[in-house]
Every structure is written in structure tokens, then in C-alpha cells.
Amino acid sequence: MSSPFTAEHVAEWASFGTKLKGKPTPKQQLAAKERKAKCSEMKKRLVKELNDPNWTEKKIEKELDRLAEEGGKVAERPEYLDGPSGTRDFYPPEMKVQNWLFDKFRETAKSFGFQEYDAPVLEHVKLYERKAGEEIVDQMYNFTDKEGKHVTLRPEMTPTLARMVLNKTNLQTGEVRLTLPLKWFSIPQCWRFETTQRGRKREHYQWNMDIVGVDHVNAELELLAAACFFFKSLGIGPEAVGIKINSRAVLEVVLAKHNIKKGQKDEDGGDIFAKACVIIDKLDKIGGEAVTELLGGIGVNAESAADILQALQAPTVDALTDHIGAESESVEEVRRLFQLAEEYGISDYLVFDASVVRGLAYYTGIVWEAFDRRGELRAIMGGGRYDRLLELYGGEKCQIPCVGFGFGDCVIMELLKECNKLPEFQGSGVDYVVCAFSPDLYGSAAKISAQLRACGCSVDLMPSPKKNAKASFKHADQTGAKRMVFVAPDEISRSVVRVKDLRTKDKNGEAVQVDCPVDKLDTVDALVAEAAAK
């Protein structure tokens, strides 16, 4: 087993000092206690980082001690052995966790009647230009392919969804040739060239849920209910996570008071309203003073900026109505959503927040963001209504209402770790490990493996036998198999195999072991149950 430790690991370990030998003085005892605490903290950290059952704290300590004694000499690692910056490798233990999370995504989506779809990770750059927002365009992994086409690794999935729906739409009439509403979900991998930090990578998977063809707030309600259902399925309650709700249409009313209107262009032809939304979306990150300065850069004077910021701080829907000076359809829509959420039983998760606008240019109505109530993580999930996106792509006849959310895998994993909600997976999880006593019996072991698989079992056929039967059983136990089949000469001569159930104990607390006829391997369960009862 090769060492996974870098020179930096060894240097950190060596910086704690060496182990004391002999009887320490009181002063040395204090130093030894401090060293022990630092070593313990580092070992625990490395156990999590390595996520490999072979590297226990004891083995980590022994290996780091050895490397430190050798002067920290670690073989130089070629740069290409590390994945590209901001990306992740998923070893089998990480894949188990990822598959578990994705299963939760799928279970929730299917519980709400959504259908899964997918598309190529390679998309047309034109789908994102002036449609999703300048920030996404700047962050794209885009290039010209060998046919001269300008393409990109998709930075998000919503434009792809729009493209797919329009491919099932008569662009001259706007009639969708599928039964509406569409309730679709996907778990695509997305790519953005941006600064990496906790919960943010340059590649990530994103659970997308979208409803196409519903022009009222019931669609938003259903998506929010699905998100709450998902949180509950993970054991994450409203005391840990909240969902901030606002409306871009409400913000449109607020900005219109200060002559910032949707579709209004600046001297460079840019959309002033969209730019204002992007600036306001940064309020939590950069603060009111910086937002005021940036708004000034697009022509908003200080007095107007102050009034806009005051509106964004409205604590309730009623307070925002008072600030605007009149009831509006968009405010009433938000109010209706909260009323319905109360009846749906999800209101504990929802919080009104007038400052939430979402940075993407295509949002038109209600928008939302899920957040960690402790304030330690970035947005967990975000979404909203985007009624004009398909029209922008397909033409004025394609006025097809849409609403959806995107739920990244990175931040929710951080939250699950913080809340101690990640499951613990033991071993490989296979039903059987089959081992031949010798190379001569490998054919018999292969035949028995095939028979077990035909019974619907998962089987790991060991390519090389261990030195003895005890080592074989130990290997099966360590890999997390449920049962071990040992194909040995004596048993085969009697047309049976020895099956040891590694998870079932008899009345004496010993693992149950039975001899099963090779032509009756489908009876193993009954034989084990009978033996356990004796």
C-alpha cells in the first residue's frame, strides 16, 4: 500500500516535535500533551480526507513517524496525478455517498410526479449569451471545436431544458407538442471557471426540478414543497435550514420608482435592470455601502439607492407594501404563496426576504434561496420563475411559463457533514465473496459464482486464493460481504460448498456456517436460518 502523504503532510507532522523517550520531566510532560493533541487532531482530519478504511489513525501515525524519521523524503508527485483545479475524484467510498444523495434526489422528484431527463454536457455558447447573465458567460469553459462550432461545457441546465422543450414546440404557433404541464428533473454535471471555496467547485452536480406550462403560484408551491420534503428526508428541519422568498416582479416595482425599468438600455446597450439585479444580489456578500457605489456606476443616485436598500430590508410583505405605497399584483402573489405554504405544511421553512433577487437575468417572478440558518455556508439551493426564457429563444409566440430550481451537491454535502446526517457505509456491500482453495478449483469457484448470480445475488469472485482459509474469511469480513463461500477439495468431492454467514450469529454468538449442495444454492437462506435456530 503506497503512502498517500505529501511532503507538506510530513512537514506538518514533524513540526509537532518527536516522541519523548524515557521518563519525561514535568515540562516535557506538558509538551508531550500538546504534541499528542496536535497529532490526534491531524490524524482525525486525515482519516476524513483519505476516507479509506485501510488508513486508520494508528496506521497514519506509524507512516508519518516513519517518513519524518527519514527526513520527510516523499516521492515527487507529477502534477498530472492531481485532478484539474476545482474538480473532484470520486473513489468507491465517495461514490457510495454520492449515489445515496442522488437516490434521495430521485426519490423526492418521483414522489412529486416528476420525470427524469438528461442532455449532453456540451452545449452551444449562444444559449447562454445575454440569456443567463454576464457572470455565467465569463465563467464558461467555452472553446471552438474542430468543426468551428463555438461550444461550452454547460454552466447550468435551465437553457438546455428550454432548448429541449422548444424542440417539442411549434415555433410558429407556440403550441407545445407534449402534454402540459411538464414536470421534469435532472442531475447534470455543470462547469464554471470560478474561484473555488468551501461548497463551491469548478464542477458540480446539480439537481434540477422544473415545471413548464403553469402560469400561477401553485407551481412555485409544489417545487418548494419538494425541496422541504427532501430536507425532511435527510433529517434536516426548519431549525437548520430556511428558504428565503421574494419576487423579481416586486423588485421591478421598487426600481421603477427610480426610473430603472425592465428592458431599459444604457449607453453600451446593456440591460440596466438586469445589471441592477446582479448588483443587489451581492448585498449579503459586499454590504449596502458597496452596493450603493455599484448602483451609482449604472446611473442610480445616492438618494434612490438609499430608498432601494430600505425596500430590500422590509421585514414582511406588509412592510414592503407600505414602502411601495400601493398593493401590487406581484406582492399579492407572494402573499398568496405564504398562505398556501401554511396549508401545505411547509411554512416553517419559508422566510420572506425582500433582498433576494437571484443573479440570473432570466428570472421574472418569485425567486428563492435555501440557506443555512447558522450563516456558515453559501446558498444551498436557488430557483424561481422564468416565464420569458423560451420566448427569448423561440420567438414571441413561445410565451411558455416556467419555474424551477437548482440544488448543488457540494453545499448540501457540507451541510450534511455539519449536521452529522451522512450515513456510514461499511465495506463493499456484496452478498458473497467466493474463494477457491487452489488454482485447480478456480473453475468450480467460477461456476458457483455464476449460479449465485443467477439467484439474484451480488458476488465477488476472488481472483487469487489467500494463503489459508482463515485469511480468506477475514478478507470477506473486512470487505463487508454478507457471506463467504470457500470452495475446497473435500467439500467439492461431496458436491457441497461451505458457506459462512458473516452477519448471522447462532445462540453461542458464533458466525453460522453450513454446507450447501452445489445444485441447491438457492436454499442457502433456509439452511442458514435453520442453523441459526439450533
Side-chain angles (χ1 to χ4, degrees), residues 8 16 21 47 160 162 167 180 244 288 302 336 433 485 490 531:
E8 287 76 14
F16 303 152
K21 295 178 181 179
V47 165
T160 296
N167 280 330
L180 296 178
K244 299 175 182 178
R336 172 68 174 158
V433 167
V485 176
D490 290 346

Side-chain angles (χ1 to χ4, degrees), residues 355-491:
S355 69
V356 172
V357 297
R358 303 291 294 157
L360 296 173
Y362 52 65
Y363 285 126
T364 57
I366 286 176
V367 289
W368 63 84
E369 283 184 356
F371 67 100
D372 162 30
R373 289 193 186 268
R374 291 174 303 175
E376 295 178 6
L377 301 172
R378 60 191 297 265
I380 302 167
M381 173 266 286
R385 179 166 288 276
Y386 54 100
D387 284 348
R388 304 297 299 276
L389 186 62
L390 275 73
E391 180 185 352
L392 287 170
Y393 289 142
E396 62 179 12
K397 294 292 185 180
C398 300
Q399 296 184 22
I400 304 167
C402 302
V403 60
F405 67 67
F407 204 124
D409 69 323
C410 295
V411 183
I412 188 62
M413 287 299 293
E414 292 294 329
L415 181 66
L416 288 167
K417 290 174 187 175
E418 290 289 335
C419 296
N420 197 28
K421 296 295 184 180
L422 283 175
E424 291 186 10
F425 296 96
Q426 301 295 327
S428 62
V430 297
D431 296 320
Y432 289 90
V433 167
V434 176
C435 181
F437 173 79
S438 65
D440 292 344
L441 289 172
Y442 191 79
S444 297
K447 184 177 180 180
I448 288 163
S449 297
Q451 288 176 262
L452 287 168
R453 292 184 186 117
C455 295
C457 303
S458 58
V459 180
D460 176 12
L461 173 59
M462 289 176 60
S464 304
K466 295 287 183 182
K467 291 181 180 179
N468 53 54
K470 185 177 180 180
S472 297
F473 286 117
K474 183 178 179 181
H475 168 79
D477 192 29
Q478 289 176 336
T479 59
K482 296 174 184 175
R483 289 171 179 164
M484 170 73 185
V485 176
F486 193 63
V487 183
D490 290 346
E491 286 79 11

Side-chain angles (χ1 to χ4, degrees), residues 217-218 221 331-341 343:
V217 77
N218 291 3
L221 178 73
V331 172
E332 183 54 37
E333 188 178 48
V334 175
R335 199 189 307 277
R336 172 68 174 158
L337 176 62
F338 276 93
Q339 290 170 348
L340 290 171
E343 295 183 58

Side-chain angles (χ1 to χ4, degrees), residues 59 108 116 252 354 443 503:
K59 283 190 176 181
T108 297
E116 189 167 9
E252 195 174 334
R503 308 293 163 224

